[in-house]
Each structure stands twice: as C-alpha cells, then as structure tokens.
Amino acid sequence: MYSESDLQAAVDAKVLTPEAALAFRSHIASVRAAPGADEESFRLITGFNDIFVSIAAVILLVAVGWIGASIHPALGGAFVAGSAWLLAEYFTRQRRMALPSIVLVLAFSGGVCATMIGFLVKHGEDIFGHNPGETTLAVVAGAIAAVTAGATWLHWKRFMVPITVAAGTAALAATAVALVLAITGAPGPDGTLPMTLVLIAGLGVFTLAMWWDRSDRVRQTRRSDVAFWLHLLAAPMIAHPIFHLLGVTRGDDIGSAAAVMVIGVYILFGLIALAIDRRALLVSALAYVLFAMTQLFNTFGAVELNVALTAFVIGSALLLLSAFWQNARAVVVGFLPDNLANQLPATTRTVSLQPAS
C-alpha cells in the first residue's frame, strides 16, 4: 500500500527516522527474499477510492470535452486540459492519489494536443490549403508535439507526477521523428525510415530511463518511478521497429530463420531486462515471440497444438524466470565489468540498504 516514495516522504517530513525506514525496508526485503529494487514497485492504486475517483474524473472530462467540442472543435481539448489541471490541484497536489494523477496528466497532455488538432480541423484548410504537402504535415505534427511537450513540462514542474516525464518525452520523440521526416520527405511504402527513426528515439528514451535509474539504485524515491514509466515507453519503441525490420509484421508466414532470429532477439531482451532489472522489454516483445514460436511449431508439424504449445513454453519460461529472477540477475550482472555493474540496480548479493539522503 505504501511505496518507497511514501516512505522517503515520511522521512523528509520527520514522521519516521531514517533508521526506522531502513529497518522497515530491511524487514520487507528479508520477508520477500529480495531487495525492494528487484520488485520494481511503483504507485498505481492506493485503494479502491483511486478507481472511484478515476472513473468519476473520466466521466467529467468526457462531458466537458463533449460540451467544448459542440461550441468549437478546439474547445473540446481545451476544456479537457483545463479541467484536468484544476482537478490535479486537489487530487494530485493535495490528496496525492496515484491512479487519478496518472489519468489527469494523460488527459491534460491529450487535451493540449487535441486543442491544436481541433483548431486545424476547423481552420487548417484555410491556412494550409486543400492539399498540403507531406513536408507541411510533418512540420505541423512536429509543432503540435513540441507544444504538447512544453505543456507537459509545466505540468511536471507543478505536480511532479512520475508518468509526466514519459508523456513529455514521448511528445519530444514525436517532434524529432516528424521533423526528420519533414526534412527527408515522404517515407517509402515499406516504412523502413519511420521505423528506424522510432528505434533511434526509443534508444534515446532508454538512455534517459537509465539515467534516472542510475540516480536511485535502491529505488527508494520518485526518480525510480520516473524511470519505470520511461522504460515502459522505450520498450515498444525499441521492440516494434526491430521486429518490423526483421519482417515479422509484414505477413502471416515469417519462415523458420526469421522465427529463430525473433527468439534470439527476445533472449537478448531478457538478458538486458535482467541486467537493468526492468521487465518492460520482455512484455513489449511478448506478442512477437509468441507469433514466432507458433510459426516454428507449425513448421515442425504441430499444427493443431501450435498455439497451445507456444503458450505453454513461453508461460512456463516466464514463470520460472520470475521465480528465480534475483538469482538470474546475480549471474548476469556478475559477468559485467565492475564499473558497469556498479551503475545498475543492486542485486541480492550486493544490495546494501542505506538511509536515503
């Protein structure tokens, strides 16, 4: 029910002493046979009231967006963004409710973006003509993403909701991709250029996530939550382009060689996930490896049970990995150079809980 950020906030407010918080963390780590860092905890729901408030907020935001859109297409998004900010003043800034805060920041960012899109729907043809070129569209998309990123940054400065950094980073990544496409012209029909750009952006987001992770190796502060959402953003931006470039998304039959390559990439993702102690890469690539293994079983004659066999193998492997995650991490990290291993989240063999400063 209480996250590491809550414990640290209690220490900062002098409700708990650093020693008491350390003793509590040590107790939980011993009970779970793993340090808190290995649990990859983050705040999502503190109670059913979070769900209740989130549902009510969504209903209200849909209503104000509908009312605004009936007046002018741009006002729908503007009303949503403004309402989300006002609601966040209470439910985020004062009540510190987890799930409603996530809903409200996403609504705010989406509302800002929808405001500009609504304006273009109404007046875009008057400004850019009936048939604007691909370059113009890419520049406009980049401008919308850039403004959304700026608004999201203001939200972060005010409310400090961890997912806000990921939302703003996604907008910046979209800006960069759109601007490059605007400079290079329309992408080819195979989508190689956009996918390559998304992959590069994903690697950049991953690097940013690791920067946040490095600043809190024992995952006791809000910085770890920020890193979690950045990893969750980076994972599909890395996984989907790689498998697209391998040809997995282009047809129903990818062939045995491509299927083996997909499984090999997934194993590599697994090793990276173990090293950095983040599971997002494994989850994002799961659909592709399921498809690849289904094709392999089909190739070797298990046509009727190929889906069942695939689900059995992958499900069993992931459960075993989860059960022995800490031991597997210790092995993987043990093969890394000390200067690199010392920048990763601590393993069960190296963790040393200290009072956070």
Side-chain angles (χ1 to χ4, degrees):
M1 183 175 180
Y2 303 107
S3 68
E4 288 287 352
S5 298
D6 293 327
L7 282 176
Q8 186 56 39
V11 172
D12 295 339
K14 302 188 184 304
V15 175
L16 292 175
T17 64
E19 292 74 17
L22 174 61
F24 180 77
R25 291 184 178 108
S26 300
H27 169 69
I28 294 299
S30 64
V31 169
R32 295 176 177 173
D38 274 335
E39 297 300 312
E40 205 172 349
S41 302
F42 72 101
R43 287 190 65 194
L44 183 61
I45 296 176
T46 55
F48 190 77
N49 192 39
D50 278 39
I51 300 175
F52 181 78
V53 171
S54 298
I55 293 173
V58 169
I59 293 173
L60 176 63
L61 293 172
V62 169
V64 297
W66 197 329
I67 293 170
S70 66
I71 302 172
H72 188 282
L75 290 180
F79 281 13
V80 169
S83 300
W85 185 287
L86 292 175
L87 290 171
E89 289 288 347
Y90 177 70
F91 291 108
T92 299
R93 192 169 174 81
Q94 295 186 32
R95 294 287 302 276
R96 311 303 299 176
M97 300 182 74
L99 184 59
S101 297
I102 294 172
V103 171
L104 292 174
V105 68
L106 294 178
F108 173 77
S109 299
V112 171
C113 182
T115 300
M116 293 176 282
I117 293 175
F119 179 83
L120 291 175
V121 168
K122 185 70 173 179
H123 305 290
E125 187 172 339
D126 297 333
I127 299 173
F128 300 106
H130 179 67
N131 189 25
E134 296 285 345
T135 300
T136 300
L137 292 176
V139 170
V140 170
I144 291 174
V147 173
T148 302
T152 305
W153 179 80
L154 292 176
H155 195 284
W156 163 255
K157 297 297 290 184
R158 177 66 174 172
F159 302 108
M160 305 290 283
V161 180
I163 195 177
T164 311
V165 177
T169 302
L172 287 176
T175 302
V177 171
L179 291 179
V180 172
L181 290 177
I183 295 172
T184 58
D190 60 351
T192 299
L193 177 59
M195 286 295 106
T196 302
L197 294 175
V198 171
L199 175 59
I200 294 172
L203 293 174
V205 175
F206 178 82
T207 302
L208 179 62
M210 291 305 302
W211 181 83
W212 282 91
D213 254 343
R214 283 179 56 197
S215 65
D216 184 14
R217 292 186 62 225
V218 291
R219 296 182 177 170
Q220 296 178 357
T221 68
R222 182 188 286 115
R223 294 189 294 272
S224 175
D225 294 339
V226 172
F228 168 82
W229 291 109
L230 285 170
H231 279 293
L232 207 61
L233 170 64
M237 294 175 67
I238 294 172
H240 181 70
I242 287 177
F243 292 119
H244 176 85
L245 296 174
L246 288 175
V248 179
T249 62
R250 298 177 188 174
D252 295 332
D253 187 2
I254 61 173
S256 300
V260 171
M261 289 180 63
V262 169
I263 295 172
V265 171
Y266 193 72
I267 293 173
L268 177 62
F269 282 177
L271 294 175
I272 295 173
L274 284 167
I276 65 175
D277 200 13
R278 294 290 185 184
R279 297 157 179 82
L281 268 177
L282 290 173
V283 175
S284 293
L286 189 56
Y288 300 103
V289 75
L290 285 170
F291 176 68
M293 287 202 67
T294 300
Q295 292 297 317
L296 280 180
F297 281 121
N298 188 50
T299 300
F300 288 104
V303 178
E304 295 182 357
L305 295 176
N306 58 352
V307 176
L309 289 173
T310 298
F312 178 81
V313 171
I314 296 297
S316 300
L318 292 180
L319 285 174
L320 284 172
L321 181 61
S322 176
F324 297 99
W325 184 270
Q326 294 82 23
N327 294 331
R329 274 208 74 227
V331 173
V332 171
V333 174
F335 281 102
L336 299 176
D338 289 341
N339 60 342
L340 177 59
N342 290 335
Q343 300 182 54
L344 298 174
T347 66
T348 52
R349 297 180 184 178
T350 62
V351 66
S352 177
L353 293 173
Q354 298 293 336
S357 57

